[in-house]
Amino acid sequence: DIEMTQSPSSLSASVGDRVTITCRASQGMSKYLAWYQQQKAGKVPKLLIYAASTLQSGVPSRFSGSGSGTDFTLTISSLQPEDVATYYCQKYNSAPLTFGGGTKVEIK
Amino acid sequence: EVQLVESGGGLVQPGRSLRLSCAASGFTFDDYAMHWVRQAPGKGLEWVSGISWNSDTIDYVDSVKGRFTISRDNAENSLYLQMNSLRAEDTALYFCAKSRSRTIAAALNYWGQGILVTVSS
């Protein structure tokens, strides 16, 4: 099975900073990758990006995704207070639809 | 408005069974695959199982194979997860989630609020 590794596991940045989160797959998987935001553990996850770079309807344009194959990136161009959350990548090319371990984003 | 409402959770002893349900509304249920995702206390998200729109394709994470069974009733707009031989490590908040596609191989664009399952003696 393909393993998904996210880095860093946590980060702290200032409002307005550019933030980058990386997700690496143990095998190539084209662009079958999604990013989710979970504002607190136990709260409902929200789909941000699918197909590696397609923004889900209603998601602010400061969020963007890139990559294909094994290396993917989620970028927040200008961090806002409401972006404090844990972010997860997920592969969905085939089962199991594995999630990465998560990246917790905090405000400095 | 898409709504997914889980039910059937609770406290159960190890080795016993529980059946989760997810009532869907606000979309054409039989046009989309559906999934169960769980989150153990203080841990990350774990995909548990998925079922295609017509139940032809079903998959599970290895840790629940042979113990959990996913099913759906398109006439009732409902998704189910039958959980047998429950273990302490199955303790988690279980989310029902809608796929963007008829197939399992798609992102999950709507999620329920989750239902807590606690396995303990």
Side-chain angles (χ1 to χ4, degrees), chain A residues 1 34 36 38 42-45 47 50 56 88 90 92-93 95-97 99, chain B residues 35 37 39 44-45 47 59 93 95 100 104-109 111-113:
Chain A
D1 293 344
Y36 300 87
Q38 187 179 38
K43 294 302 182 186
V44 179
L47 175 64
Y50 60 93
Q56 170 71 0
Y88 296 92
Q90 183 199 29
Y92 57 84
N93 59 317
L97 277 62
F99 288 90
Chain B
H35 298 261
V37 176
Q39 186 168 38
L45 300 174
W47 177 83
D59 271 301
L93 186 65
F95 294 99
R100 291 189 66 254
I104 291 174
L108 311 181
N109 60 348
W111 298 61
Q113 294 293 319

PDB file of all heavy atoms in Angstrom, chain A residues 1 34 36 38 42-45 47 50 56 88 90 92-93 95-97 99, chain B residues 35 37 39 44-45 47 59 93 95 100 104-109 111-113:
ATOM      1  N   ASP A   1       0.828  -1.200   0.000  1.00  0.00           N
ATOM      2  CA  ASP A   1       0.000   0.000   0.000  1.00  0.00           C
ATOM      3  C   ASP A   1       0.870   1.261   0.000  1.00  0.00           C
ATOM      4  O   ASP A   1       1.962   1.270   0.545  1.00  0.00           O
ATOM      5  CB  ASP A   1      -0.901   0.024   1.245  1.00  0.00           C
ATOM      6  CG  ASP A   1      -1.943  -1.076   1.249  1.00  0.00           C
ATOM      7  OD1 ASP A   1      -2.178  -1.664   0.161  1.00  0.00           O
ATOM      8  OD2 ASP A   1      -2.520  -1.345   2.306  1.00  0.00           O
ATOM      9  N   ALA A  34      -5.888  14.783  -2.456  1.00  0.00           N
ATOM     10  CA  ALA A  34      -6.749  15.818  -1.890  1.00  0.00           C
ATOM     11  C   ALA A  34      -6.126  16.378  -0.623  1.00  0.00           C
ATOM     12  O   ALA A  34      -5.326  15.711   0.049  1.00  0.00           O
ATOM     13  CB  ALA A  34      -8.129  15.237  -1.566  1.00  0.00           C
ATOM     14  N   TYR A  36      -7.323  18.412   3.039  1.00  0.00           N
ATOM     15  CA  TYR A  36      -8.431  18.725   3.922  1.00  0.00           C
ATOM     16  C   TYR A  36      -7.956  19.599   5.073  1.00  0.00           C
ATOM     17  O   TYR A  36      -6.791  19.503   5.507  1.00  0.00           O
ATOM     18  CB  TYR A  36      -9.045  17.443   4.518  1.00  0.00           C
ATOM     19  CG  TYR A  36      -9.580  16.479   3.486  1.00  0.00           C
ATOM     20  CD1 TYR A  36      -8.737  15.533   2.907  1.00  0.00           C
ATOM     21  CD2 TYR A  36     -10.910  16.509   3.087  1.00  0.00           C
ATOM     22  CE1 TYR A  36      -9.206  14.641   1.955  1.00  0.00           C
ATOM     23  CE2 TYR A  36     -11.393  15.621   2.133  1.00  0.00           C
ATOM     24  CZ  TYR A  36     -10.528  14.696   1.579  1.00  0.00           C
ATOM     25  OH  TYR A  36     -11.000  13.812   0.628  1.00  0.00           O
ATOM     26  N   GLN A  38      -8.983  20.584   9.076  1.00  0.00           N
ATOM     27  CA  GLN A  38      -9.790  20.257  10.240  1.00  0.00           C
ATOM     28  C   GLN A  38      -9.448  21.268  11.333  1.00  0.00           C
ATOM     29  O   GLN A  38      -8.335  21.249  11.866  1.00  0.00           O
ATOM     30  CB  GLN A  38      -9.547  18.830  10.714  1.00  0.00           C
ATOM     31  CG  GLN A  38     -10.510  18.401  11.818  1.00  0.00           C
ATOM     32  CD  GLN A  38     -10.294  16.978  12.290  1.00  0.00           C
ATOM     33  OE1 GLN A  38      -9.173  16.509  12.394  1.00  0.00           O
ATOM     34  NE2 GLN A  38     -11.389  16.275  12.589  1.00  0.00           N
ATOM     35  N   GLY A  42     -11.814  16.391  15.986  1.00  0.00           N
ATOM     36  CA  GLY A  42     -13.200  16.051  16.246  1.00  0.00           C
ATOM     37  C   GLY A  42     -14.196  16.897  15.483  1.00  0.00           C
ATOM     38  O   GLY A  42     -15.388  16.580  15.432  1.00  0.00           O
ATOM     39  N   LYS A  43     -13.717  17.989  14.884  1.00  0.00           N
ATOM     40  CA  LYS A  43     -14.608  18.807  14.073  1.00  0.00           C
ATOM     41  C   LYS A  43     -14.644  18.243  12.660  1.00  0.00           C
ATOM     42  O   LYS A  43     -13.820  17.419  12.274  1.00  0.00           O
ATOM     43  CB  LYS A  43     -14.128  20.256  14.070  1.00  0.00           C
ATOM     44  CG  LYS A  43     -14.218  20.917  15.440  1.00  0.00           C
ATOM     45  CD  LYS A  43     -15.615  20.895  16.000  1.00  0.00           C
ATOM     46  CE  LYS A  43     -15.709  21.591  17.341  1.00  0.00           C
ATOM     47  NZ  LYS A  43     -17.045  21.440  17.960  1.00  0.00           N
ATOM     48  N   VAL A  44     -15.585  18.732  11.869  1.00  0.00           N
ATOM     49  CA  VAL A  44     -15.785  18.171  10.544  1.00  0.00           C
ATOM     50  C   VAL A  44     -14.661  18.598   9.600  1.00  0.00           C
ATOM     51  O   VAL A  44     -14.410  19.795   9.448  1.00  0.00           O
ATOM     52  CB  VAL A  44     -17.137  18.635   9.964  1.00  0.00           C
ATOM     53  CG1 VAL A  44     -17.335  18.080   8.567  1.00  0.00           C
ATOM     54  CG2 VAL A  44     -18.272  18.195  10.889  1.00  0.00           C
ATOM     55  N   PRO A  45     -13.950  17.673   8.989  1.00  0.00           N
ATOM     56  CA  PRO A  45     -12.946  18.043   7.985  1.00  0.00           C
ATOM     57  C   PRO A  45     -13.604  18.708   6.784  1.00  0.00           C
ATOM     58  O   PRO A  45     -14.748  18.404   6.445  1.00  0.00           O
ATOM     59  CB  PRO A  45     -12.321  16.689   7.606  1.00  0.00           C
ATOM     60  CG  PRO A  45     -12.609  15.800   8.776  1.00  0.00           C
ATOM     61  CD  PRO A  45     -13.958  16.245   9.259  1.00  0.00           C
ATOM     62  N   LEU A  47     -12.972  19.735   2.671  1.00  0.00           N
ATOM     63  CA  LEU A  47     -12.168  19.538   1.471  1.00  0.00           C
ATOM     64  C   LEU A  47     -11.716  20.895   0.944  1.00  0.00           C
ATOM     65  O   LEU A  47     -12.523  21.783   0.707  1.00  0.00           O
ATOM     66  CB  LEU A  47     -12.988  18.810   0.407  1.00  0.00           C
ATOM     67  CG  LEU A  47     -12.331  18.624  -0.958  1.00  0.00           C
ATOM     68  CD1 LEU A  47     -11.095  17.729  -0.858  1.00  0.00           C
ATOM     69  CD2 LEU A  47     -13.334  18.048  -1.971  1.00  0.00           C
ATOM     70  N   TYR A  50      -8.675  19.144  -4.557  1.00  0.00           N
ATOM     71  CA  TYR A  50      -8.673  17.781  -5.089  1.00  0.00           C
ATOM     72  C   TYR A  50      -7.940  17.774  -6.421  1.00  0.00           C
ATOM     73  O   TYR A  50      -7.641  18.842  -6.975  1.00  0.00           O
ATOM     74  CB  TYR A  50     -10.101  17.230  -5.225  1.00  0.00           C
ATOM     75  CG  TYR A  50     -10.998  18.023  -6.145  1.00  0.00           C
ATOM     76  CD1 TYR A  50     -11.121  17.688  -7.492  1.00  0.00           C
ATOM     77  CD2 TYR A  50     -11.729  19.109  -5.674  1.00  0.00           C
ATOM     78  CE1 TYR A  50     -11.944  18.412  -8.338  1.00  0.00           C
ATOM     79  CE2 TYR A  50     -12.550  19.836  -6.506  1.00  0.00           C
ATOM     80  CZ  TYR A  50     -12.645  19.488  -7.829  1.00  0.00           C
ATOM     81  OH  TYR A  50     -13.463  20.206  -8.675  1.00  0.00           O
ATOM     82  N   GLN A  56     -11.544  23.482  -4.299  1.00  0.00           N
ATOM     83  CA  GLN A  56     -12.948  23.171  -4.072  1.00  0.00           C
ATOM     84  C   GLN A  56     -13.744  24.478  -4.033  1.00  0.00           C
ATOM     85  O   GLN A  56     -13.257  25.512  -3.541  1.00  0.00           O
ATOM     86  CB  GLN A  56     -13.110  22.403  -2.748  1.00  0.00           C
ATOM     87  CG  GLN A  56     -14.527  22.211  -2.252  1.00  0.00           C
ATOM     88  CD  GLN A  56     -15.330  21.218  -3.080  1.00  0.00           C
ATOM     89  OE1 GLN A  56     -14.851  20.642  -4.050  1.00  0.00           O
ATOM     90  NE2 GLN A  56     -16.567  20.992  -2.652  1.00  0.00           N
ATOM     91  N   TYR A  88      -4.575  17.795   6.317  1.00  0.00           N
ATOM     92  CA  TYR A  88      -4.291  16.407   5.941  1.00  0.00           C
ATOM     93  C   TYR A  88      -4.296  16.250   4.430  1.00  0.00           C
ATOM     94  O   TYR A  88      -5.188  16.777   3.747  1.00  0.00           O
ATOM     95  CB  TYR A  88      -5.359  15.461   6.496  1.00  0.00           C
ATOM     96  CG  TYR A  88      -5.434  15.376   8.001  1.00  0.00           C
ATOM     97  CD1 TYR A  88      -6.278  16.203   8.725  1.00  0.00           C
ATOM     98  CD2 TYR A  88      -4.666  14.442   8.698  1.00  0.00           C
ATOM     99  CE1 TYR A  88      -6.362  16.121  10.108  1.00  0.00           C
ATOM    100  CE2 TYR A  88      -4.740  14.346  10.090  1.00  0.00           C
ATOM    101  CZ  TYR A  88      -5.586  15.194  10.781  1.00  0.00           C
ATOM    102  OH  TYR A  88      -5.665  15.102  12.150  1.00  0.00           O
ATOM    103  N   GLN A  90      -4.607  13.304   1.375  1.00  0.00           N
ATOM    104  CA  GLN A  90      -5.208  11.979   1.210  1.00  0.00           C
ATOM    105  C   GLN A  90      -5.018  11.532  -0.230  1.00  0.00           C
ATOM    106  O   GLN A  90      -5.312  12.287  -1.167  1.00  0.00           O
ATOM    107  CB  GLN A  90      -6.703  11.990   1.529  1.00  0.00           C
ATOM    108  CG  GLN A  90      -7.356  10.613   1.437  1.00  0.00           C
ATOM    109  CD  GLN A  90      -8.873  10.664   1.288  1.00  0.00           C
ATOM    110  OE1 GLN A  90      -9.432  11.610   0.741  1.00  0.00           O
ATOM    111  NE2 GLN A  90      -9.550   9.658   1.798  1.00  0.00           N
ATOM    112  N   TYR A  92      -6.259   9.066  -3.267  1.00  0.00           N
ATOM    113  CA  TYR A  92      -7.516   8.378  -3.562  1.00  0.00           C
ATOM    114  C   TYR A  92      -7.488   7.649  -4.907  1.00  0.00           C
ATOM    115  O   TYR A  92      -8.537   7.326  -5.468  1.00  0.00           O
ATOM    116  CB  TYR A  92      -8.704   9.336  -3.482  1.00  0.00           C
ATOM    117  CG  TYR A  92      -8.653  10.561  -4.359  1.00  0.00           C
ATOM    118  CD1 TYR A  92      -9.054  10.516  -5.682  1.00  0.00           C
ATOM    119  CD2 TYR A  92      -8.228  11.793  -3.852  1.00  0.00           C
ATOM    120  CE1 TYR A  92      -9.033  11.636  -6.485  1.00  0.00           C
ATOM    121  CE2 TYR A  92      -8.193  12.922  -4.655  1.00  0.00           C
ATOM    122  CZ  TYR A  92      -8.593  12.850  -5.968  1.00  0.00           C
ATOM    123  OH  TYR A  92      -8.568  13.972  -6.763  1.00  0.00           O
ATOM    124  N   ASN A  93      -6.307   7.337  -5.400  1.00  0.00           N
ATOM    125  CA  ASN A  93      -6.240   6.616  -6.679  1.00  0.00           C
ATOM    126  C   ASN A  93      -6.752   5.196  -6.557  1.00  0.00           C
ATOM    127  O   ASN A  93      -7.295   4.623  -7.506  1.00  0.00           O
ATOM    128  CB  ASN A  93      -4.815   6.624  -7.236  1.00  0.00           C
ATOM    129  CG  ASN A  93      -3.823   5.987  -6.281  1.00  0.00           C
ATOM    130  OD1 ASN A  93      -3.865   6.223  -5.076  1.00  0.00           O
ATOM    131  ND2 ASN A  93      -2.917   5.192  -6.816  1.00  0.00           N
ATOM    132  N   ALA A  95      -7.871   2.022  -3.209  1.00  0.00           N
ATOM    133  CA  ALA A  95      -7.958   1.722  -1.783  1.00  0.00           C
ATOM    134  C   ALA A  95      -6.661   1.067  -1.321  1.00  0.00           C
ATOM    135  O   ALA A  95      -6.029   0.331  -2.088  1.00  0.00           O
ATOM    136  CB  ALA A  95      -9.145   0.797  -1.517  1.00  0.00           C
ATOM    137  N   PRO A  96      -6.257   1.312  -0.074  1.00  0.00           N
ATOM    138  CA  PRO A  96      -6.903   2.173   0.905  1.00  0.00           C
ATOM    139  C   PRO A  96      -6.657   3.656   0.607  1.00  0.00           C
ATOM    140  O   PRO A  96      -5.576   4.032   0.158  1.00  0.00           O
ATOM    141  CB  PRO A  96      -6.251   1.756   2.225  1.00  0.00           C
ATOM    142  CG  PRO A  96      -4.896   1.276   1.825  1.00  0.00           C
ATOM    143  CD  PRO A  96      -5.067   0.623   0.484  1.00  0.00           C
ATOM    144  N   LEU A  97      -7.664   4.474   0.884  1.00  0.00           N
ATOM    145  CA  LEU A  97      -7.567   5.913   0.642  1.00  0.00           C
ATOM    146  C   LEU A  97      -6.849   6.566   1.829  1.00  0.00           C
ATOM    147  O   LEU A  97      -7.419   7.269   2.624  1.00  0.00           O
ATOM    148  CB  LEU A  97      -8.966   6.510   0.460  1.00  0.00           C
ATOM    149  CG  LEU A  97      -9.582   6.406  -0.940  1.00  0.00           C
ATOM    150  CD1 LEU A  97      -9.768   4.969  -1.384  1.00  0.00           C
ATOM    151  CD2 LEU A  97     -10.909   7.156  -0.980  1.00  0.00           C
ATOM    152  N   PHE A  99      -4.695   8.671   4.493  1.00  0.00           N
ATOM    153  CA  PHE A  99      -4.413  10.049   4.852  1.00  0.00           C
ATOM    154  C   PHE A  99      -2.962  10.174   5.325  1.00  0.00           C
ATOM    155  O   PHE A  99      -2.385   9.226   5.873  1.00  0.00           O
ATOM    156  CB  PHE A  99      -5.312  10.511   6.012  1.00  0.00           C
ATOM    157  CG  PHE A  99      -6.747  10.726   5.636  1.00  0.00           C
ATOM    158  CD1 PHE A  99      -7.660   9.678   5.723  1.00  0.00           C
ATOM    159  CD2 PHE A  99      -7.200  11.961   5.205  1.00  0.00           C
ATOM    160  CE1 PHE A  99      -8.990   9.859   5.388  1.00  0.00           C
ATOM    161  CE2 PHE A  99      -8.535  12.164   4.865  1.00  0.00           C
ATOM    162  CZ  PHE A  99      -9.427  11.105   4.952  1.00  0.00           C
TER     163      PHE A  99
ATOM    164  N   HIS B  35     -18.304   6.821   2.067  1.00  0.00           N
ATOM    165  CA  HIS B  35     -17.177   6.327   2.850  1.00  0.00           C
ATOM    166  C   HIS B  35     -17.428   6.469   4.346  1.00  0.00           C
ATOM    167  O   HIS B  35     -18.246   7.298   4.778  1.00  0.00           O
ATOM    168  CB  HIS B  35     -15.910   7.126   2.524  1.00  0.00           C
ATOM    169  CG  HIS B  35     -15.464   7.026   1.108  1.00  0.00           C
ATOM    170  ND1 HIS B  35     -14.454   6.173   0.697  1.00  0.00           N
ATOM    171  CD2 HIS B  35     -15.882   7.671  -0.008  1.00  0.00           C
ATOM    172  CE1 HIS B  35     -14.270   6.307  -0.600  1.00  0.00           C
ATOM    173  NE2 HIS B  35     -15.129   7.199  -1.061  1.00  0.00           N
ATOM    174  N   VAL B  37     -14.868   7.274   7.641  1.00  0.00           N
ATOM    175  CA  VAL B  37     -13.539   7.704   8.072  1.00  0.00           C
ATOM    176  C   VAL B  37     -13.600   7.832   9.587  1.00  0.00           C
ATOM    177  O   VAL B  37     -14.602   8.302  10.133  1.00  0.00           O
ATOM    178  CB  VAL B  37     -13.152   9.059   7.443  1.00  0.00           C
ATOM    179  CG1 VAL B  37     -11.810   9.544   7.987  1.00  0.00           C
ATOM    180  CG2 VAL B  37     -13.100   8.938   5.913  1.00  0.00           C
ATOM    181  N   GLN B  39     -11.528   8.816  13.503  1.00  0.00           N
ATOM    182  CA  GLN B  39     -10.472   9.586  14.157  1.00  0.00           C
ATOM    183  C   GLN B  39     -10.427   9.175  15.622  1.00  0.00           C
ATOM    184  O   GLN B  39     -11.348   9.491  16.389  1.00  0.00           O
ATOM    185  CB  GLN B  39     -10.721  11.086  14.027  1.00  0.00           C
ATOM    186  CG  GLN B  39      -9.588  11.946  14.558  1.00  0.00           C
ATOM    187  CD  GLN B  39      -9.733  13.396  14.146  1.00  0.00           C
ATOM    188  OE1 GLN B  39     -10.839  13.941  14.098  1.00  0.00           O
ATOM    189  NE2 GLN B  39      -8.609  14.033  13.833  1.00  0.00           N
ATOM    190  N   GLY B  44      -4.946  11.329  14.103  1.00  0.00           N
ATOM    191  CA  GLY B  44      -5.306  11.826  12.787  1.00  0.00           C
ATOM    192  C   GLY B  44      -6.471  11.063  12.173  1.00  0.00           C
ATOM    193  O   GLY B  44      -7.067  10.174  12.782  1.00  0.00           O
ATOM    194  N   LEU B  45      -6.778  11.434  10.942  1.00  0.00           N
ATOM    195  CA  LEU B  45      -7.875  10.793  10.204  1.00  0.00           C
ATOM    196  C   LEU B  45      -7.417   9.452   9.641  1.00  0.00           C
ATOM    197  O   LEU B  45      -6.288   9.309   9.169  1.00  0.00           O
ATOM    198  CB  LEU B  45      -8.324  11.696   9.056  1.00  0.00           C
ATOM    199  CG  LEU B  45      -8.832  13.082   9.446  1.00  0.00           C
ATOM    200  CD1 LEU B  45      -9.100  13.924   8.201  1.00  0.00           C
ATOM    201  CD2 LEU B  45     -10.089  12.974  10.294  1.00  0.00           C
ATOM    202  N   TRP B  47      -9.015   6.512   6.987  1.00  0.00           N
ATOM    203  CA  TRP B  47     -10.060   5.978   6.114  1.00  0.00           C
ATOM    204  C   TRP B  47     -10.358   4.540   6.521  1.00  0.00           C
ATOM    205  O   TRP B  47      -9.434   3.754   6.736  1.00  0.00           O
ATOM    206  CB  TRP B  47      -9.591   6.033   4.667  1.00  0.00           C
ATOM    207  CG  TRP B  47     -10.558   5.447   3.686  1.00  0.00           C
ATOM    208  CD1 TRP B  47     -11.643   6.052   3.137  1.00  0.00           C
ATOM    209  CD2 TRP B  47     -10.514   4.122   3.137  1.00  0.00           C
ATOM    210  NE1 TRP B  47     -12.284   5.185   2.280  1.00  0.00           N
ATOM    211  CE2 TRP B  47     -11.610   3.994   2.270  1.00  0.00           C
ATOM    212  CE3 TRP B  47      -9.663   3.029   3.299  1.00  0.00           C
ATOM    213  CZ2 TRP B  47     -11.879   2.826   1.548  1.00  0.00           C
ATOM    214  CZ3 TRP B  47      -9.920   1.861   2.598  1.00  0.00           C
ATOM    215  CH2 TRP B  47     -11.023   1.768   1.739  1.00  0.00           C
ATOM    216  N   ASP B  59     -14.337  -1.567  -0.379  1.00  0.00           N
ATOM    217  CA  ASP B  59     -12.972  -1.748   0.114  1.00  0.00           C
ATOM    218  C   ASP B  59     -12.892  -1.358   1.581  1.00  0.00           C
ATOM    219  O   ASP B  59     -13.711  -0.569   2.071  1.00  0.00           O
ATOM    220  CB  ASP B  59     -11.968  -0.918  -0.693  1.00  0.00           C
ATOM    221  CG  ASP B  59     -11.442  -1.677  -1.891  1.00  0.00           C
ATOM    222  OD1 ASP B  59     -10.850  -2.755  -1.696  1.00  0.00           O
ATOM    223  OD2 ASP B  59     -11.641  -1.197  -3.018  1.00  0.00           O
ATOM    224  N   LEU B  93     -14.078   8.591  16.755  1.00  0.00           N
ATOM    225  CA  LEU B  93     -15.193   9.330  16.173  1.00  0.00           C
ATOM    226  C   LEU B  93     -15.301   8.865  14.731  1.00  0.00           C
ATOM    227  O   LEU B  93     -14.307   8.906  13.995  1.00  0.00           O
ATOM    228  CB  LEU B  93     -14.908  10.826  16.246  1.00  0.00           C
ATOM    229  CG  LEU B  93     -16.004  11.792  15.815  1.00  0.00           C
ATOM    230  CD1 LEU B  93     -17.209  11.690  16.751  1.00  0.00           C
ATOM    231  CD2 LEU B  93     -15.458  13.214  15.814  1.00  0.00           C
ATOM    232  N   PHE B  95     -16.846   9.239  11.037  1.00  0.00           N
ATOM    233  CA  PHE B  95     -17.476  10.177  10.112  1.00  0.00           C
ATOM    234  C   PHE B  95     -18.005   9.425   8.892  1.00  0.00           C
ATOM    235  O   PHE B  95     -17.302   8.573   8.317  1.00  0.00           O
ATOM    236  CB  PHE B  95     -16.464  11.203   9.597  1.00  0.00           C
ATOM    237  CG  PHE B  95     -15.914  12.145  10.626  1.00  0.00           C
ATOM    238  CD1 PHE B  95     -14.669  11.915  11.195  1.00  0.00           C
ATOM    239  CD2 PHE B  95     -16.620  13.278  11.001  1.00  0.00           C
ATOM    240  CE1 PHE B  95     -14.127  12.802  12.122  1.00  0.00           C
ATOM    241  CE2 PHE B  95     -16.099  14.171  11.933  1.00  0.00           C
ATOM    242  CZ  PHE B  95     -14.846  13.929  12.490  1.00  0.00           C
ATOM    243  N   ARG B 100     -16.941  12.592  -4.316  1.00  0.00           N
ATOM    244  CA  ARG B 100     -17.271  13.495  -5.412  1.00  0.00           C
ATOM    245  C   ARG B 100     -17.726  12.723  -6.657  1.00  0.00           C
ATOM    246  O   ARG B 100     -18.129  13.319  -7.645  1.00  0.00           O
ATOM    247  CB  ARG B 100     -16.052  14.338  -5.797  1.00  0.00           C
ATOM    248  CG  ARG B 100     -15.621  15.348  -4.779  1.00  0.00           C
ATOM    249  CD  ARG B 100     -14.540  16.273  -5.358  1.00  0.00           C
ATOM    250  NE  ARG B 100     -15.070  17.101  -6.444  1.00  0.00           N
ATOM    251  CZ  ARG B 100     -14.804  16.900  -7.718  1.00  0.00           C
ATOM    252  NH1 ARG B 100     -14.013  15.898  -8.092  1.00  0.00           N
ATOM    253  NH2 ARG B 100     -15.308  17.703  -8.635  1.00  0.00           N
ATOM    254  N   ILE B 104     -15.199   4.903  -5.760  1.00  0.00           N
ATOM    255  CA  ILE B 104     -14.507   5.148  -4.498  1.00  0.00           C
ATOM    256  C   ILE B 104     -13.318   6.084  -4.702  1.00  0.00           C
ATOM    257  O   ILE B 104     -12.939   6.835  -3.820  1.00  0.00           O
ATOM    258  CB  ILE B 104     -14.048   3.800  -3.904  1.00  0.00           C
ATOM    259  CG1 ILE B 104     -15.231   2.973  -3.442  1.00  0.00           C
ATOM    260  CG2 ILE B 104     -13.095   4.030  -2.741  1.00  0.00           C
ATOM    261  CD1 ILE B 104     -14.847   1.574  -2.982  1.00  0.00           C
ATOM    262  N   ALA B 105     -12.727   6.043  -5.886  1.00  0.00           N
ATOM    263  CA  ALA B 105     -11.502   6.805  -6.159  1.00  0.00           C
ATOM    264  C   ALA B 105     -11.792   8.272  -6.432  1.00  0.00           C
ATOM    265  O   ALA B 105     -11.649   8.758  -7.557  1.00  0.00           O
ATOM    266  CB  ALA B 105     -10.757   6.175  -7.332  1.00  0.00           C
ATOM    267  N   ALA B 106     -12.183   8.981  -5.404  1.00  0.00           N
ATOM    268  CA  ALA B 106     -12.464  10.405  -5.524  1.00  0.00           C
ATOM    269  C   ALA B 106     -12.349  11.037  -4.144  1.00  0.00           C
ATOM    270  O   ALA B 106     -12.414  10.347  -3.125  1.00  0.00           O
ATOM    271  CB  ALA B 106     -13.852  10.641  -6.104  1.00  0.00           C
ATOM    272  N   ALA B 107     -12.175  12.354  -4.136  1.00  0.00           N
ATOM    273  CA  ALA B 107     -12.085  13.066  -2.857  1.00  0.00           C
ATOM    274  C   ALA B 107     -13.449  13.099  -2.174  1.00  0.00           C
ATOM    275  O   ALA B 107     -14.486  12.850  -2.785  1.00  0.00           O
ATOM    276  CB  ALA B 107     -11.573  14.484  -3.102  1.00  0.00           C
ATOM    277  N   LEU B 108     -13.413  13.428  -0.875  1.00  0.00           N
ATOM    278  CA  LEU B 108     -14.622  13.417  -0.055  1.00  0.00           C
ATOM    279  C   LEU B 108     -15.063  14.853   0.184  1.00  0.00           C
ATOM    280  O   LEU B 108     -14.384  15.616   0.890  1.00  0.00           O
ATOM    281  CB  LEU B 108     -14.323  12.727   1.289  1.00  0.00           C
ATOM    282  CG  LEU B 108     -13.610  11.375   1.168  1.00  0.00           C
ATOM    283  CD1 LEU B 108     -13.383  10.755   2.530  1.00  0.00           C
ATOM    284  CD2 LEU B 108     -14.387  10.441   0.269  1.00  0.00           C
ATOM    285  N   ASN B 109     -16.181  15.262  -0.403  1.00  0.00           N
ATOM    286  CA  ASN B 109     -16.522  16.680  -0.383  1.00  0.00           C
ATOM    287  C   ASN B 109     -17.555  17.089   0.663  1.00  0.00           C
ATOM    288  O   ASN B 109     -17.774  18.292   0.860  1.00  0.00           O
ATOM    289  CB  ASN B 109     -16.923  17.172  -1.783  1.00  0.00           C
ATOM    290  CG  ASN B 109     -18.123  16.447  -2.352  1.00  0.00           C
ATOM    291  OD1 ASN B 109     -18.556  15.423  -1.844  1.00  0.00           O
ATOM    292  ND2 ASN B 109     -18.645  16.971  -3.443  1.00  0.00           N
ATOM    293  N   TRP B 111     -18.999  15.885   4.718  1.00  0.00           N
ATOM    294  CA  TRP B 111     -18.800  15.009   5.871  1.00  0.00           C
ATOM    295  C   TRP B 111     -19.925  15.216   6.889  1.00  0.00           C
ATOM    296  O   TRP B 111     -20.438  16.328   7.046  1.00  0.00           O
ATOM    297  CB  TRP B 111     -17.480  15.352   6.560  1.00  0.00           C
ATOM    298  CG  TRP B 111     -16.255  15.151   5.713  1.00  0.00           C
ATOM    299  CD1 TRP B 111     -15.936  15.755   4.533  1.00  0.00           C
ATOM    300  CD2 TRP B 111     -15.153  14.292   6.025  1.00  0.00           C
ATOM    301  NE1 TRP B 111     -14.711  15.335   4.081  1.00  0.00           N
ATOM    302  CE2 TRP B 111     -14.208  14.440   4.988  1.00  0.00           C
ATOM    303  CE3 TRP B 111     -14.861  13.433   7.086  1.00  0.00           C
ATOM    304  CZ2 TRP B 111     -12.990  13.740   4.968  1.00  0.00           C
ATOM    305  CZ3 TRP B 111     -13.653  12.749   7.077  1.00  0.00           C
ATOM    306  CH2 TRP B 111     -12.735  12.900   6.028  1.00  0.00           C
ATOM    307  N   GLY B 112     -20.283  14.155   7.596  1.00  0.00           N
ATOM    308  CA  GLY B 112     -21.186  14.286   8.720  1.00  0.00           C
ATOM    309  C   GLY B 112     -20.451  14.825   9.939  1.00  0.00           C
ATOM    310  O   GLY B 112     -19.244  15.047   9.901  1.00  0.00           O
ATOM    311  N   GLN B 113     -21.195  15.039  11.011  1.00  0.00           N
ATOM    312  CA  GLN B 113     -20.617  15.570  12.254  1.00  0.00           C
ATOM    313  C   GLN B 113     -19.834  14.505  13.020  1.00  0.00           C
ATOM    314  O   GLN B 113     -19.043  14.836  13.899  1.00  0.00           O
ATOM    315  CB  GLN B 113     -21.730  16.125  13.148  1.00  0.00           C
ATOM    316  CG  GLN B 113     -22.434  17.341  12.575  1.00  0.00           C
ATOM    317  CD  GLN B 113     -21.508  18.535  12.498  1.00  0.00           C
ATOM    318  OE1 GLN B 113     -20.725  18.797  13.408  1.00  0.00           O
ATOM    319  NE2 GLN B 113     -21.597  19.282  11.413  1.00  0.00           N
TER     320      GLN B 113
END
